[in-house]
Amino acid sequence: MIVETLKVYAAVVEHSHFSRAAEALNISQPGVSLHIRNLENEFGAKLIHRSPKYVKVTEAGNILYQRAKQILALYEEAKQQIRLLQDVVTGALKIGASFTLGEYILPRVLAQFAASHPQVDVQVIIANTEQIAQSVHRGELDLGLVEGQVHYSDLQVSYFMEDEMIMVAPPDHPLTLLPSVEAGMLQDQIWIFRESGSGTRAFSDRVLEQLQLRAKHSFIFSSNQGVKEAVASGLGISVLSHLVVDKALDAGEICPIRVKSRRFVRNCSIVQAAEPSESLAVNVFADHLAEFAKRHQPRP
């Protein structure tokens, strides 16, 4: 096979010696010589000047060496790609996701993953950030996708993607009529919150703390859909992921409140056990998540 001959030729050039090349390739020196003679016959040109102490590459030999390295690299790349096609990923995958990611991102990720790896059985649990982190910590889930902070030191938390958060209000709220508002204009508003333990609730609490806002009154819902519907119904204002509110904003069911010189953004993370997983399905899915995030970053 020509690939083997090119490997022998490259070894002779790199070792500058027939016997050292033979030793590196674990073949006989006469075998090395035969490969070189065959190449010279093939190209009708002298490739190497031989001497008892060294070899010297000719101009033609140098051209062949450069091309041989490229051919060998492409050959190895092709082998790797074909090997990946033949490695059928099977097994079970238990994934946890907080509500925003579980309802708006994970279905799209899984649709693409399942198309490539149909033999993987997938089970999905959707809960708030704290519950997902706890389940990964207990070993009940292979990995989790969360948008809140994780407080388990024995878990590996890695950045997944950015999520833009939008302050929203009912369409008839006076603050939605302004191009932007000062933070002080948000004092003593009625707020709609997610429950404690959710990433969205933790983010909302930080917004109120950073802007030094008081809530006149609040309502608490245990789902993003409940919060969004409460805002649309006129109960109050809230901060939700753009993933949750984009369609409602386009439909005019709710309206944004733009805070002057402020952009609300949070990081979403993949949560796994600190020890690397031995499951091929888990590792392939984690790689798939990373590729998905590169292609689907939120709008700037």
Side-chain angles (χ1 to χ4, degrees), residues 245-262:
V245 301
D246 272 353
K247 290 183 179 179
L249 288 170
D250 291 342
E253 298 170 1
I254 57 178
C255 294
I257 297 176
R258 298 177 178 86
V259 183
K260 193 172 183 179
S261 302
R262 292 275 182 169

Side-chain angles (χ1 to χ4, degrees), residues 110 131 157 193 277:
L110 282 176
Q131 291 167 330
V157 181
F193 293 124
S277 174

Side-chain angles (χ1 to χ4, degrees), residues 11-294:
V12 170
V13 174
E14 290 163 1
H15 287 86
S16 298
H17 207 280
F18 275 58
S19 61
R20 284 197 289 268
E23 184 179 347
L25 296 171
N26 196 29
I27 62 176
S28 67
Q29 186 171 330
V32 171
S33 299
L34 179 61
H35 279 292
I36 302 304
R37 281 199 303 273
N38 288 341
L39 273 178
E40 290 181 329
N41 291 334
E42 175 88 16
F43 289 99
K46 193 72 172 175
L47 301 175
I48 291 175
H49 291 300
R50 303 162 179 80
S51 80
K53 294 184 178 180
Y54 65 90
V55 297
K56 184 178 180 180
V57 183
T58 66
E59 184 177 356
N62 188 55
I63 292 173
L64 178 60
Y65 174 71
Q66 299 301 326
R67 294 293 182 262
K69 294 297 287 183
Q70 295 173 355
I71 292 168
L72 292 172
L74 289 171
Y75 175 74
E76 290 301 322
E77 183 180 336
K79 279 175 60 179
Q80 178 65 20
Q81 291 176 350
I82 292 170
R83 189 178 298 118
L84 288 175
L85 286 176
Q86 293 172 335
D87 288 338
V88 178
V89 182
T90 60
L93 186 59
K94 293 183 179 180
I95 307 168
S98 52
F99 282 94
T100 302
L101 295 174
E103 293 172 345
Y104 296 92
I105 291 294
L106 190 54
R108 284 189 281 164
V109 177
L110 282 176
Q112 296 178 8
F113 177 78
S116 302
H117 308 290
Q119 296 189 40
V120 178
D121 295 321
V122 181
Q123 179 181 351
V124 175
I125 302 296
I126 297 178
N128 65 38
T129 291
E130 175 58 28
Q131 291 167 330
I132 295 301
Q134 189 176 80
S135 294
V136 176
H137 169 70
R138 291 174 175 170
E140 298 166 353
L141 295 172
D142 294 312
L143 57 81
L145 302 179
V146 299
E147 68 270 355
Q149 292 184 329
V150 175
H151 304 289
Y152 293 94
S153 59
D154 62 334
L155 294 181
Q156 175 186 323
V157 181
S158 52
Y159 171 80
F160 167 47
M161 66 185 295
E162 184 181 89
D163 183 23
E164 180 187 5
M165 303 294 286
I166 299 177
M167 190 175 294
V168 291
D172 58 354
H173 196 289
L175 294 182
T176 64
L177 302 177
L178 302 175
S180 64
V181 302
E182 299 287 347
M185 299 172 70
L186 294 165
Q187 284 297 3
D188 297 315
Q189 294 289 326
I190 298 175
W191 283 82
I192 315 298
F193 293 124
R194 281 284 308 280
E195 79 286 2
S196 295
S198 82
T200 299
R201 173 58 183 273
F203 188 89
S204 299
D205 289 345
R206 285 199 299 276
V207 168
L208 266 67
E209 181 181 355
Q210 290 169 3
L211 299 183
Q212 299 181 332
L213 300 178
R214 300 180 303 271
K216 179 181 179 181
H217 186 61
S218 65
F219 294 89
I220 298 174
F221 287 79
S222 61
S223 72
N224 291 318
Q225 184 67 22
V227 172
K228 183 174 64 175
E229 291 299 323
V231 173
S233 298
L235 277 181
I237 67 176
S238 188
V239 176
L240 288 169
S241 167
H242 81 98
L243 297 165
V244 176
V245 301
D246 272 353
K247 290 183 179 179
L249 288 170
D250 291 342
E253 298 170 1
I254 57 178
C255 294
I257 297 176
R258 298 177 178 86
V259 183
K260 193 172 183 179
S261 302
R262 292 275 182 169
R263 180 171 177 257
F264 302 117
V265 173
R266 64 181 176 182
N267 289 338
C268 302
S269 304
I270 302 172
V271 183
Q272 294 176 272
E275 291 295 322
S277 174
E278 296 181 0
S279 166
L280 180 59
V282 173
N283 292 326
V284 170
F285 182 74
D287 291 342
H288 189 82
L289 279 172
E291 289 300 317
F292 180 91
K294 288 179 184 177

